[in-house]
Coordinates of all heavy atoms in Angstrom, one line a residue:
S380 N 107.8 70.2 131.9 CA 108.0 71.2 131.0 C 108.3 72.4 131.7 O 107.4 72.9 132.5 CB 106.7 71.4 130.1 OG 106.9 72.5 129.2
E381 N 109.5 73.1 131.6 CA 109.8 74.2 132.3 C 109.6 75.5 131.4 O 110.2 76.5 131.6 CB 111.3 74.2 132.8 CG 111.4 73.0 133.8 CD 112.9 73.0 134.3 OE1 113.7 73.8 133.9 OE2 113.2 72.1 135.1
T382 N 108.8 75.3 130.4 CA 108.4 76.4 129.5 C 107.0 76.7 129.7 O 106.3 76.0 130.4 CB 108.7 76.0 128.0 OG1 107.8 75.0 127.6 CG2 110.2 75.5 127.9
S383 N 106.4 77.5 128.8 CA 105.0 77.9 128.8 C 104.2 76.8 128.1 O 102.9 76.9 128.2 CB 104.7 79.2 128.2 OG 105.2 79.3 126.9
E384 N 104.8 75.8 127.5 CA 104.1 74.8 126.8 C 103.6 73.7 127.7 O 104.2 73.2 128.6 CB 105.0 74.2 125.7 CG 105.5 75.2 124.7 CD 106.4 74.6 123.7 OE1 107.6 74.5 124.0 OE2 105.9 74.1 122.7
D385 N 102.3 73.3 127.5 CA 101.6 72.3 128.4 C 101.9 70.9 127.9 O 102.0 70.7 126.6 CB 100.1 72.6 128.4 CG 99.8 73.9 129.2 OD1 100.5 74.3 130.0 OD2 98.8 74.5 128.8
L386 N 101.9 70.0 128.9 CA 102.0 68.6 128.5 C 100.6 68.0 128.5 O 100.3 67.1 129.3 CB 102.8 67.9 129.7 CG 104.3 68.3 129.6 CD1 105.0 67.9 130.9 CD2 105.0 67.8 128.4
T387 N 99.8 68.5 127.6 CA 98.5 68.0 127.4 C 98.2 67.6 125.9 O 99.2 67.7 125.1 CB 97.5 69.1 127.7 OG1 97.7 70.3 127.0 CG2 97.6 69.4 129.2
G388 N 97.1 67.2 125.6 CA 96.8 66.9 124.2 C 97.7 65.8 123.5 O 97.8 64.8 124.1
A389 N 98.3 66.2 122.4 CA 99.1 65.3 121.6 C 100.4 64.9 122.4 O 100.8 63.8 122.3 CB 99.6 66.0 120.4
A390 N 100.9 65.8 123.3 CA 102.0 65.5 124.1 C 101.7 64.4 125.1 O 102.5 63.5 125.2 CB 102.5 66.8 124.8
A391 N 100.6 64.5 125.7 CA 100.2 63.5 126.7 C 99.9 62.2 126.0 O 100.3 61.1 126.5 CB 98.9 63.9 127.4
L392 N 99.3 62.2 124.8 CA 99.0 60.9 124.1 C 100.3 60.3 123.7 O 100.4 59.0 123.8 CB 98.1 61.3 122.9 CG 97.8 60.1 122.0 CD1 97.0 59.0 122.7 CD2 97.0 60.6 120.8
T393 N 101.3 61.0 123.2 CA 102.5 60.5 122.8 C 103.2 59.9 124.0 O 103.8 58.8 123.9 CB 103.4 61.6 122.1 OG1 102.6 62.1 121.1 CG2 104.7 60.9 121.6
A394 N 103.2 60.6 125.1 CA 103.8 60.0 126.3 C 103.2 58.7 126.7 O 103.9 57.8 127.2 CB 103.6 61.1 127.4
E395 N 101.9 58.6 126.6 CA 101.2 57.3 126.9 C 101.7 56.2 126.0 O 101.8 55.0 126.4 CB 99.7 57.5 126.9 CG 99.1 58.4 128.0 CD 97.7 58.5 127.9 OE1 97.0 57.9 127.0 OE2 97.0 59.3 128.7
L396 N 101.9 56.5 124.7 CA 102.4 55.6 123.8 C 103.8 55.1 124.1 O 104.1 53.9 124.0 CB 102.4 56.1 122.3 CG 101.0 56.4 121.7 CD1 101.2 57.0 120.3 CD2 100.2 55.1 121.5
M397 N 104.6 56.0 124.6 CA 106.0 55.7 125.0 C 105.9 54.8 126.2 O 106.8 53.9 126.3 CB 106.8 56.9 125.2 CG 107.1 57.7 124.0 SD 108.1 56.8 122.8 CE 109.5 56.4 123.8
V398 N 105.0 55.0 127.1 CA 104.9 54.1 128.3 C 104.6 52.7 127.9 O 105.2 51.7 128.4 CB 103.8 54.7 129.3 CG1 103.5 53.7 130.4 CG2 104.3 56.0 130.0
I399 N 103.7 52.5 126.9 CA 103.3 51.2 126.5 C 104.5 50.6 125.8 O 104.8 49.4 126.1 CB 102.2 51.3 125.4 CG1 100.9 51.8 126.1 CG2 102.0 50.0 124.8 CD1 99.8 52.1 125.2
L400 N 105.3 51.3 125.0 CA 106.5 50.8 124.5 C 107.5 50.3 125.5 O 108.2 49.3 125.5 CB 107.2 51.8 123.5 CG 106.5 52.1 122.2 CD1 107.3 53.1 121.5 CD2 106.4 50.8 121.4
I401 N 107.7 51.2 126.6 CA 108.6 50.8 127.6 C 108.1 49.6 128.4 O 109.0 48.7 128.7 CB 108.8 52.1 128.6 CG1 109.4 53.2 127.8 CG2 109.6 51.7 129.8 CD1 109.4 54.5 128.6
E402 N 106.8 49.5 128.7 CA 106.3 48.3 129.4 C 106.6 47.0 128.6 O 107.0 46.0 129.1 CB 104.8 48.5 129.6 CG 104.5 49.5 130.7 CD 103.0 49.7 130.7 OE1 102.3 49.5 129.8 OE2 102.5 50.2 131.8
E403 N 106.3 47.2 127.3 CA 106.5 45.9 126.5 C 108.0 45.6 126.4 O 108.3 44.4 126.4 CB 105.9 46.2 125.0 CG 104.4 46.4 125.1 CD 103.8 46.6 123.7 OE1 104.6 47.1 122.8 OE2 102.6 46.5 123.5
A404 N 108.8 46.6 126.3 CA 110.3 46.3 126.2 C 110.8 45.7 127.4 O 111.6 44.8 127.4 CB 111.0 47.6 125.9
I405 N 110.3 46.1 128.6 CA 110.7 45.5 129.9 C 110.2 44.1 129.9 O 111.0 43.2 130.4 CB 110.2 46.4 131.1 CG1 110.9 47.7 131.1 CG2 110.4 45.6 132.4 CD1 110.5 48.6 132.2
E406 N 109.0 43.9 129.5 CA 108.5 42.5 129.5 C 109.3 41.5 128.6 O 109.6 40.4 129.0 CB 107.0 42.5 129.0 CG 106.0 43.1 130.0 CD 104.6 43.1 129.5 OE1 104.4 42.8 128.3 OE2 103.7 43.4 130.3
R407 N 109.6 42.0 127.4 CA 110.5 41.2 126.5 C 111.9 40.9 127.1 O 112.4 39.8 127.0 CB 110.6 41.9 125.2 CG 109.4 41.8 124.3 CD 109.7 42.3 122.9 NE 110.2 43.6 122.8 CZ 109.5 44.7 122.6 NH1 108.2 44.6 122.5 NH2 110.0 45.9 122.6
A408 N 112.5 41.9 127.8 CA 113.7 41.7 128.3 C 113.7 40.7 129.5 O 114.6 39.9 129.6 CB 114.3 43.1 128.8
H409 N 112.7 40.9 130.3 CA 112.5 39.9 131.4 C 112.3 38.5 130.9 O 112.9 37.6 131.4 CB 111.3 40.3 132.3 CG 111.1 39.4 133.5 ND1 109.8 39.1 133.8 CD2 112.0 38.8 134.2 CE1 109.9 38.2 134.9 NE2 111.2 38.1 135.2
A410 N 111.4 38.3 129.8 CA 111.2 37.0 129.3 C 112.5 36.4 128.7 O 112.7 35.2 128.9 CB 110.1 37.1 128.2
A411 N 113.4 37.3 128.1 CA 114.6 36.7 127.5 C 115.5 36.2 128.6 O 116.1 35.2 128.5 CB 115.2 37.8 126.7
D412 N 115.6 37.0 129.7 CA 116.4 36.6 130.9 C 115.9 35.3 131.4 O 116.7 34.4 131.8 CB 116.4 37.7 132.0 CG 117.1 38.9 131.6 OD1 117.9 38.8 130.6 OD2 116.9 39.9 132.2
V413 N 114.6 35.1 131.6 CA 114.0 33.9 132.1 C 114.3 32.7 131.2 O 114.8 31.6 131.7 CB 112.5 33.9 132.3 CG1 111.9 32.6 132.6 CG2 112.1 35.0 133.4
I414 N 114.2 32.9 129.9 CA 114.5 31.7 129.0 C 115.9 31.4 129.0 O 116.3 30.2 129.0 CB 114.1 32.3 127.6 CG1 112.6 32.3 127.5 CG2 114.6 31.2 126.5 CD1 112.1 32.9 126.1
T415 N 116.8 32.4 129.1 CA 118.3 32.1 129.2 C 118.6 31.3 130.5 O 119.3 30.4 130.5 CB 119.1 33.4 129.2 OG1 118.8 34.1 128.0 CG2 120.6 33.2 129.4
Q416 N 117.9 31.7 131.6 CA 118.2 31.0 132.8 C 117.7 29.6 132.8 O 118.3 28.6 133.2 CB 117.5 31.7 134.0 CG 117.7 31.0 135.4 CD 117.0 31.8 136.5 OE1 116.4 32.9 136.3 NE2 117.0 31.3 137.7
L417 N 116.4 29.3 132.2 CA 115.9 28.1 132.1 C 116.7 27.2 131.2 O 116.9 26.0 131.5 CB 114.4 28.1 131.5 CG 113.4 28.7 132.4 CD1 112.1 28.8 131.7 CD2 113.2 27.7 133.7
R418 N 117.2 27.7 130.1 CA 118.1 26.9 129.2 C 119.4 26.4 129.9 O 119.8 25.3 129.9 CB 118.5 27.7 128.0 CG 117.3 27.8 127.0 CD 117.7 28.7 125.8 NE 116.7 28.7 124.8 CZ 116.6 29.5 123.7 NH1 117.6 30.4 123.6 NH2 115.8 29.4 122.8
R419 N 119.9 27.3 130.8 CA 121.1 27.1 131.5 C 120.9 26.0 132.5 O 121.7 25.0 132.6 CB 121.7 28.3 132.2 CG 123.0 28.2 132.8 CD 123.4 29.5 133.5 NE 123.6 30.5 132.5 CZ 122.8 31.6 132.5 NH1 121.9 31.8 133.4 NH2 123.1 32.6 131.6
E420 N 119.8 26.1 133.2 CA 119.4 25.1 134.3 C 119.1 23.8 133.6 O 119.5 22.7 134.2 CB 118.3 25.6 135.1 CG 118.7 26.8 135.9 CD 117.5 27.3 136.7 OE1 116.4 26.9 136.5 OE2 117.7 28.3 137.5
L421 N 118.4 23.7 132.5 CA 118.1 22.5 131.8 C 119.3 21.8 131.3 O 119.5 20.6 131.4 CB 117.1 22.7 130.6 CG 115.7 23.0 131.1 CD1 114.8 23.5 129.8 CD2 114.9 21.8 131.7
A422 N 120.3 22.6 130.7 CA 121.5 22.0 130.3 C 122.3 21.4 131.4 O 122.9 20.3 131.2 CB 122.3 23.1 129.6
A423 N 122.3 22.1 132.5 CA 123.1 21.6 133.7 C 122.5 20.3 134.2 O 123.1 19.3 134.5 CB 123.2 22.6 134.8
A424 N 121.1 20.2 134.2 CA 120.4 19.1 134.7 C 120.6 17.9 133.7 O 120.8 16.7 134.1 CB 118.9 19.3 134.8
R425 N 120.6 18.1 132.4 CA 120.8 17.1 131.5 C 122.3 16.5 131.6 O 122.6 15.3 131.5 CB 120.6 17.6 130.0 CG 120.6 16.5 129.0 CD 120.3 17.0 127.7 NE 121.2 18.0 127.2 CZ 121.2 18.4 125.9 NH1 120.2 18.0 125.1 NH2 122.0 19.4 125.5

Side-chain angles (χ1 to χ4, degrees):
S380 176
E381 297 181 0
T382 69
S383 58
E384 299 176 275
D385 292 330
L386 292 166
T387 58
L392 177 59
T393 304
E395 290 181 3
L396 290 176
M397 289 300 299
V398 166
I399 293 173
L400 287 182
I401 294 169
E402 289 173 337
E403 293 178 344
I405 291 176
E406 288 178 355
R407 285 193 299 270
H409 180 219
D412 287 343
V413 170
I414 290 172
T415 297
Q416 180 181 355
L417 287 175
R418 285 177 173 169
R419 187 180 299 115
E420 292 176 354
L421 288 171
R425 185 175 66 172

